Amino acid sequence: MSELHCEEEEEEEEEEDVLCLSRRALRNIPASVLHTTHLKSLYLEGNEISSLPERFFSRLSSLVWLDVRNNRLSGLPAAIGQHRCLKTLLLEGNPISALPPELGHVITLKALSLRKCPLMFPPQDVLNRGLPSILHYLRSSALTDKSAAVEKLCVSELDQCEEDELEISRFEELQRRMIQMERAESGSAGDGGTRTPRADLISSCFIRLNITQVSVSALDDVQRSPAV
């Protein structure tokens, strides 16, 4: 009797690991599914699901078998790349045009069904070579995207350096004009003219050169400049 009882418990545990929601006219993944974190097999074939939640694969981290054939999926969450249990992914009959590069990092994947999917990425010649070639291509694409992002960052930093150099040049021009104007004002004051306040001089130069910030040290240089 004890052996029979153990067998029944094992069958119940196996059933708890499997959830079948095929052909239920579902348009979204039920919230209850994301709370069934111990699931190993999930059947969603023949519904009207257009997308998987971003946290789908992180919540169902034990998932081994996923059947989403004949739905309306147009893509997969990038988070699938962090999954470490998925072995079978059935995408047949979905309007997916591109697989995410992150899929290439699912090293446990052994079976991938892509029939009747209008895929443009990866290209057809890669798809024809089978799963290992597909995953390798996706991994390579992911690395290329990262390299492009790093290169873009470097170019952005270079542009920033050029902008800084331009700003320094403009500030030096501002400093030179301020010195000239102060010397001119000093001459006018010697002839009995009215001296323009220093703040007004700085403000007029800022407007003329369209500069919004001046360093304290540079202003000190102006203050220390000898009047003629």
Side-chain angles (χ1 to χ4, degrees), residues 91 94 96-100 103 109 112-138 141:
L91 298 173
N94 282 280
I96 297 178
S97 60
L99 296 176
L103 181 62
L109 196 62
L112 178 63
S113 172
L114 298 172
R115 291 181 65 249
K116 299 180 182 179
C117 293
L119 283 170
M120 302 294 291
F121 179 87
Q124 190 60 47
D125 63 320
V126 175
L127 298 175
N128 293 339
R129 292 200 293 268
L131 182 58
S133 294
I134 293 172
L135 296 181
H136 176 74
Y137 182 89
L138 292 173
S141 298

Side-chain angles (χ1 to χ4, degrees), residues 170-182:
R170 294 170 68 185
F171 179 77
E172 290 175 348
E173 175 65 14
L174 169 66
Q175 183 181 10
R176 184 182 63 80
R177 292 194 180 190
M178 289 174 66
I179 293 173
Q180 290 178 348
M181 293 174 68
E182 182 165 321

Side-chain angles (χ1 to χ4, degrees), residues 57-189:
F57 290 101
S58 60
R59 295 287 296 176
L60 303 180
S61 58
S62 299
L63 203 61
V64 175
W65 181 290
L66 177 60
D67 182 358
V68 287
R69 291 172 298 157
N70 302 316
N71 276 276
R72 298 181 179 179
L73 294 175
S74 57
L76 296 172
I80 191 174
Q82 300 173 6
H83 209 279
R84 292 296 175 264
C85 290
L86 191 62
K87 292 184 178 180
T88 301
L89 177 59
L90 307 180
L91 298 173
E92 176 181 335
N94 282 280
I96 297 178
S97 60
L99 296 176
E102 292 82 3
L103 181 62
H105 296 296
V106 184
I107 57 178
T108 55
L109 196 62
K110 302 298 181 185
L112 178 63
S113 172
L114 298 172
R115 291 181 65 249
K116 299 180 182 179
C117 293
L119 283 170
M120 302 294 291
F121 179 87
Q124 190 60 47
D125 63 320
V126 175
L127 298 175
N128 293 339
R129 292 200 293 268
L131 182 58
S133 294
I134 293 172
L135 296 181
H136 176 74
Y137 182 89
L138 292 173
R139 283 194 298 271
S140 299
S141 298
L143 291 174
T144 301
D145 291 344
K146 289 182 179 179
S147 298
V150 171
E151 182 178 354
K152 183 177 180 181
L153 177 61
C154 292
V155 171
S156 176
E157 291 177 347
L158 180 59
D159 290 342
Q160 183 63 45
C161 291
E162 292 176 350
E163 291 177 1
D164 291 343
E165 291 177 358
L166 178 61
E167 192 68 18
I168 292 173
S169 176
R170 294 170 68 185
F171 179 77
E172 290 175 348
E173 175 65 14
L174 169 66
Q175 183 181 10
R176 184 182 63 80
R177 292 194 180 190
M178 289 174 66
I179 293 173
Q180 290 178 348
M181 293 174 68
E182 182 165 321
R183 288 175 178 173
E185 288 295 330
S186 297
S188 298

